[in-house]
Amino acid sequence: MEARYFDLLPDKDWEVDIDGVQALADENTIAMVIVNPGNPCGNVYTYEHLAKASSNRLVAETAQKLGIFVITDEVYAHLTFGERKFVPMGVFGTVVPVFTLGSISKRWVVPGWRLGWIVTNDPNGVFQRTKVVDCIKSYLDISSDPPTFVQGAIPKLLENTKEEFFNKTVKILRETADICWEKLKGINSITCPSKPEGSMFVMVCESLHILFHAARHHEGFANGV
C-alpha cells in the first residue's frame, strides 16, 4: 500500500486542497483520509466544504467523482468550542461510502487507552458488495485487543460519566485556546492562520527570516557589550 499526502490550505481555515487530491489520485487510489476536527491544526470543517460548496471545494463529491471512499478520523468530534458546529462526514454516506474512526481516549481524557471503533456510513451497500467490511473483520480476528482492564472499565465509564465532566473539558479547552490565541499575537516571528475551534491543538507559521534577524541583532548587541 502506498500513502500519498495532500496539502491543507492555511489561508482557508485548513481546508483540504481538493485540486491536490485530484492530482494525486489515479486508478489505484481507493480512499482519502480526512481528520475533522483537525489534529494538529485545530480546525473544524464547514458543512459546505464537506459537501456542497463551489464545485472545486467538495470533499464528498470529489471522492464520488474519483470513485473512492472516505476514511474520517473524528476522535475529537465532541471537543469543539468555536463558532462552527461539527458535522460528521457520515451524513454524506449516500454520496460516498464513509468509514468513521472514533476513540475513547479523547472525549473521556484517558490518553493511552487504545480502544476505538469503526462505523460504516454506507446506505448503498458498497462496503458489503466489495467485501471491505469482511476484510476488516478478518483482520480484527488476528490483531491484539485492548488491555483487559480497559475493556472492563468501559461500561462504567460510559454509564457513569456525567454531562458536567464533558462541559468542563470543553470549557477548559475554549479558555486555553483563547489564551494561546491572544499570546501568539504578541510574538512577531509567529503567525496563526486561524483561531483553533476544536481538538487540543493549534498550528502556527514561524517566520525564520524574522528569527534570523532577531538572533543577529542579539548577537551584535552581546558582542558590543
Side-chain angles (χ1 to χ4, degrees):
M1 183 177 68
E2 176 189 0
R4 300 175 181 176
Y5 298 94
F6 56 83
D7 290 333
L8 303 182
L9 305 173
D11 59 335
K12 293 184 178 180
D13 295 327
W14 304 107
E15 288 186 353
V16 174
D17 180 1
I18 295 297
D19 291 337
V21 171
Q22 295 185 98
L24 287 171
D26 58 25
E27 67 277 4
N28 295 319
T29 305
I30 62 169
M32 67 178 293
V33 179
I34 65 170
V35 182
N36 181 42
N39 169 5
C41 299
N43 58 292
V44 177
Y45 289 139
T46 63
Y47 180 94
E48 288 74 20
H49 179 54
L50 294 175
K52 61 172 189 178
S54 59
S55 59
N56 64 341
R57 293 177 59 200
L58 318 183
V59 172
E61 292 188 7
T62 297
Q64 182 189 56
K65 174 185 175 182
L66 295 173
I68 62 179
F69 61 87
V70 175
I71 302 170
T72 176
D73 180 341
E74 297 180 357
V75 298
Y76 291 102
H78 298 282
L79 299 181
T80 60
F81 41 82
E83 296 180 359
R84 290 182 178 174
K85 181 181 178 181
F86 169 74
V87 179
M89 192 69 207
V91 302
F92 310 113
T94 56
V95 179
V96 59
V98 177
F99 274 128
T100 299
L101 311 182
S103 170
I104 206 77
S105 63
K106 303 303 186 287
R107 190 185 186 196
W108 278 264
V109 197
V110 282
W113 288 33
R114 299 306 182 192
L115 189 147
W117 52 86
I118 302 173
V119 177
T120 61
N121 302 275
D122 180 30
N124 297 320
V126 175
F127 290 145
Q128 295 294 337
R129 292 196 302 273
T130 55
K131 307 295 184 182
V132 174
V133 172
D134 291 338
C135 289
I136 292 176
K137 288 180 177 178
S138 65
Y139 172 77
L140 292 176
D141 287 340
I142 62 172
S143 66
S144 59
D145 293 321
T148 304
F149 81 89
V150 173
Q151 297 184 55
I154 293 302
K156 294 295 184 182
L157 193 72
L158 298 176
E159 293 170 4
N160 298 332
T161 306
K162 299 183 182 302
E163 194 64 28
E164 61 188 81
F165 170 80
F166 301 126
N167 294 337
K168 181 179 179 181
T169 300
V170 173
K171 179 176 181 291
I172 291 172
L173 287 173
R174 181 186 298 111
E175 291 174 348
T176 52
D178 288 342
I179 293 171
C180 184
W181 173 255
E182 292 301 323
K183 293 297 184 182
L184 286 171
K185 291 179 181 179
I187 304 176
N188 292 333
S189 61
I190 292 179
T191 57
C192 186
S194 59
K195 187 176 182 179
E197 296 199 329
S199 77
M200 302 174 180
F201 305 91
V202 58
M203 179 69 78
V204 301
C205 298
E206 185 176 63
S207 173
L208 296 180
H209 175 73
I210 295 176
L211 282 176
F212 173 77
H213 281 281
R216 291 298 300 270
H217 174 75
H218 177 73
E219 180 184 358
F221 177 76
N223 289 339
V225 173

